[in-house]
Amino acid sequence: MAGAKEIRTQIGSIKNTSKITKAMEMVAASKMRKAQSRMAATRPYAEKMRNVIGHLFHAHPEYKHTFMIEREVKRIGYIIVSSDRGLCGGLNNNLFRRLFKELKEHRDAGIEVDFCTIGNKALGFFGRFGGNIVSQAVHLGDTPHIENLIGTVKVMLDAYADGKIDRISIAYNQFVNTMTQSPTFEQLVPIIPSTAEEELKHHWDYIYEPGSKEVLDNLLGRYVESLVYQAVVENGACEQSARMVAMKAASDNAGELIDELQLIYNKARQAAITQEISEIVGGAAAV
Amino acid sequence: MAMTIHVDIVSAEGEIFSGLAEMVYAPAVMGEVGIAPRHTPLVTQLKPGEVRVDTGNSKGMQHFYVSGGILEIQPHVVTVLADTAIRAVDLDEAAAQEAKRRAEDAMSDRSAEFEYAKAQSELAEAVAQLRAIERIRKGKRS
């Protein structure tokens, strides 16, 4: 019985693997639902924040904050949002690949880059290839909290305020639907005002308490933080759905493999039996 | 009917309150402010305290605790952007230092120059693997 035993052990091990992938698929599916509702919960804040910032740009504050002023770009800070764990298909790799293209363009244009990584995968990737990582955050877990991001983002904002970098961009996966996640790059600072806001024609301004500088410093910092936080939450939902899809594919593949191996095993077994019978018959004839 | 103003209280991790009110009281850094409809535009920081919303209907006065945040007033809309974290300049600074230190730890044994060629080859490999898996799957289906 050539190989029958080996095939049987192979089937056994594939079955074990498929049990694991099946379990991971189900875990990811339930986490995905939670991550999606979290994403929905963070939306109002981001929306309101965007409204306020939109208003602010139409107001005429006597104090121009550095985050509102464009300057010549010599160095760009990238905030890269990735997952902490793997086994989620091409989610992180697709993002890095797209980012890589951009980085190359910057290099050709003589623009330098700094990185701020969020998540293990980005840290690992950019750590492996060098690159100047100025700050990082890992192990945010399934329920990321904004506290864990404040410091990480502040490093970037301070660098911008000090004039060390001239633009801050963020790279993350945008959640389109369960099957699709699209790698997205956005410019965070200098802040681009939303054009959708209806124009407030007359000249007006807020009353700032205690003063426009304090309020704007505070507000714009939070604005950037909230955008980063939203990106992290969105990336979390992407991760779970990408993992669910990847694990489903793996389970399906395992099933197909088992079917094929079962067929081979049956054939081998049949061949062995036939051979045995013919040997017995041959032996009996010889006696 | 009395004049009302729209109030939104949101924090980064969820919506807290959204609705109409006759009067809103909030703990601004310069002292508590009371906001009636058609208040002049104003932005201010909030200190930890209580935001009270007088809905004027059967629900009466509603209380929300905020640990700080930002208050924006437009003539017909009041927005409270509440903080979920406790914020202070030195706390933020400590968090930033911590994030920096972690990054330095992670970078300690590596060069600061991004190695494009190496990164590209690894990415190409990963992508090729993904493509191969895809192709095998498609091949099986047909």
Side-chain angles (χ1 to χ4, degrees):
Chain A
M1 251 174 101
K5 192 161 183 296
E6 283 88 342
I7 295 172
R8 217 162 40 212
T9 41
Q10 209 178 348
I11 290 175
S13 75
I14 293 172
K15 268 188 184 152
N16 281 338
T17 311
S18 82
K19 270 181 208 155
I20 295 169
T21 55
K22 191 88 202 145
M24 282 185 77
E25 180 195 334
M26 288 191 286
V27 170
S30 89
K31 279 190 180 169
M32 181 188 74
R33 267 191 291 277
K34 271 186 221 148
Q36 278 180 20
S37 62
R38 201 168 304 120
M39 198 169 72
T42 60
R43 237 170 229 155
Y45 185 83
E47 225 168 76
K48 293 285 154 8
M49 197 56 134
R50 221 164 284 147
N51 278 346
V52 173
I53 296 290
H55 290 158
L56 205 67
F57 267 89
H58 293 297
H60 300 81
E62 64 267 41
Y63 165 71
K64 270 266 179 219
H65 195 273
T66 43
F67 290 179
M68 295 159 107
I69 302 164
E70 293 253 7
R71 53 190 190 216
E72 200 199 334
V73 178
K74 291 196 211 75
R75 200 176 182 95
I76 300 178
Y78 272 99
I79 299 178
I80 303 147
V81 184
S82 72
S83 68
D84 267 333
R85 272 173 282 180
L87 288 181
C88 48
L91 186 77
N92 291 317
N93 279 324
N94 283 340
L95 181 71
F96 296 159
R97 194 161 49 104
R98 289 278 305 278
L99 183 64
F100 188 75
K101 253 185 227 154
E102 250 196 49
L103 292 179
K104 230 174 163 190
E105 279 167 26
H106 290 323
R107 188 185 57 164
D108 294 343
I111 298 168
E112 288 176 279
V113 285
D114 277 343
F115 300 113
C116 160
T117 64
I118 296 172
N120 256 335
K121 291 287 156 188
L123 180 68
F125 183 80
F126 289 94
R128 257 201 311 290
F129 303 117
N132 188 21
I133 302 172
V134 291
S135 70
Q136 57 116 320
V138 291
H139 302 305
L140 295 174
D142 294 326
T143 46
H145 291 294
I146 206 159
E147 295 94 293
N148 305 332
L149 294 170
I150 292 169
T152 317
V153 176
K154 190 172 157 47
V155 174
M156 274 294 188
L157 293 180
D158 286 350
Y160 184 87
D162 293 346
K164 279 186 213 142
I165 51 178
D166 309 298
R167 189 199 286 168
I168 302 176
S169 294
I170 188 165
Y172 68 102
N173 281 292
Q174 197 177 24
F175 187 88
V176 182
N177 56 43
T178 312
M179 299 300 287
T180 337
Q181 297 87 31
S182 68
T184 311
F185 307 114
E186 273 169 24
Q187 179 179 331
L188 292 180
V189 183
I191 294 162
I192 308 165
S194 57
T195 44
E197 277 291 319
E198 82 276 24
E199 198 74 47
L200 294 161
K201 289 278 187 296
H202 61 283
H203 189 97
W204 65 283
D205 196 7
Y206 283 112
I207 299 170
Y208 300 91
E209 265 184 25
S212 57
K213 186 180 180 308
E214 287 88 342
V215 173
L216 285 186
D217 278 352
N218 217 310
L219 183 61
L220 295 180
R222 293 223 183 156
Y223 172 66
V224 175
E225 274 162 20
S226 84
L227 289 183
V228 174
Y229 179 71
Q230 221 208 351
V232 169
V233 171
E234 202 152 311
N235 200 70
C238 287
E239 179 194 348
Q240 297 304 342
S241 54
R243 178 166 301 132
M244 190 188 82
V245 171
M247 288 300 119
K248 186 162 170 41
S251 305
D252 291 353
N253 277 348
E256 278 168 32
L257 261 181
I258 290 171
D259 286 350
E260 266 169 40
L261 283 174
Q262 193 71 51
L263 203 65
I264 295 170
Y265 171 72
N266 288 349
K267 273 187 190 153
R269 192 178 63 115
Q270 195 58 55
I273 293 169
T274 313
Q275 197 188 355
E276 244 171 72
I277 291 174
S278 65
E279 273 165 15
I280 293 166
V281 172
V287 173
Chain B
M1 199 188 135
M3 270 208 301
T4 52
I5 188 163
H6 192 88
V7 186
D8 287 305
I9 304 178
V10 288
S11 81
E13 286 168 26
E15 188 168 57
I16 298 168
F17 176 86
S18 177
L20 294 172
E22 283 182 3
M23 192 82 186
V24 184
Y25 304 91
V29 280
M30 308 277 285
E32 192 178 70
V33 287
I35 305 136
R38 300 207 184 156
H39 193 287
T40 183
L42 179 139
V43 244
T44 183
Q45 284 155 247
L46 295 179
K47 59 185 179 190
E50 197 182 41
V51 175
R52 285 172 291 147
V53 180
D54 189 356
T55 53
N57 56 22
S58 56
K59 280 186 200 150
M61 188 76 88
Q62 295 202 29
H63 303 254
F64 304 95
Y65 177 77
V66 292
S67 60
I70 287 166
L71 173 74
E72 191 235 7
I73 303 169
Q74 288 283 326
H76 298 285
V77 189
V78 177
T79 312
V80 178
L81 301 163
D83 285 344
T84 42
I86 295 164
R87 305 290 296 263
V89 176
D90 44 345
L91 274 180
D92 287 6
E93 188 55 46
Q97 291 302 335
E98 172 66 20
K100 236 186 225 172
R101 192 192 53 72
R102 282 200 308 261
E104 275 158 14
D105 283 358
M107 292 242 325
S108 57
D109 52 339
R110 289 169 194 117
S111 69
E113 201 48 53
F114 190 70
E115 289 170 47
Y116 282 87
K118 232 166 113 190
Q120 189 163 32
S121 70
E122 177 148 321
L123 270 177
E125 202 176 296
V127 170
Q129 277 174 1
L130 281 171
R131 290 239 174 87
I133 293 166
E134 201 91 315
R135 215 170 299 133
I136 290 166
R137 277 182 65 72
K138 286 217 181 97
K140 259 190 201 154
R141 287 274 159 77
S142 57

